[in-house]
Amino acid sequence: ALRQAGLDPREQSIGGSRAAHVVATLPGEVDRWVLVAAHYDHLGGDARRFYPGADDNAAAIAILIEVAARLARSRPSGK
């Protein structure tokens, strides 16, 4: 979804785990940074335990993708 929005995402490994951060930058006209982040850390469950969190994961990722897509469509200028 980030690629479809015009960004160039890449994975940043997290040492000692199979997890990774997904990072994408969108260069602008001024030297400022906006960080948009979401988490995906609730992983369902197994035969003995359930780990809730699918709803907040889905909402956070959907919001992150929409914000990134809107920023990519109309990059704000420093003016």
Side-chain angles (χ1 to χ4, degrees), residues 35-47:
L35 174 66
V36 181
H39 67 92
Y40 187 82
D41 63 354
H42 299 284
L43 304 175
D46 58 29

Side-chain angles (χ1 to χ4, degrees), residues 7-69:
L7 299 166
D8 186 21
R10 62 184 174 82
E11 285 189 6
Q12 177 188 51
S13 63
I14 300 172
S17 75
R18 297 182 317 179
H21 296 290
V22 176
V23 179
T25 58
L26 183 64
E29 297 176 6
V30 295
D31 187 22
R32 293 185 187 154
W33 291 86
V34 174
L35 174 66
V36 181
H39 67 92
Y40 187 82
D41 63 354
H42 299 284
L43 304 175
D46 58 29
R48 292 175 283 154
R49 294 175 287 182
F50 176 70
Y51 307 105
D55 291 342
D56 69 322
N57 287 335
I61 300 301
I63 291 167
L64 179 136
I65 290 169
E66 183 61 26
V67 168

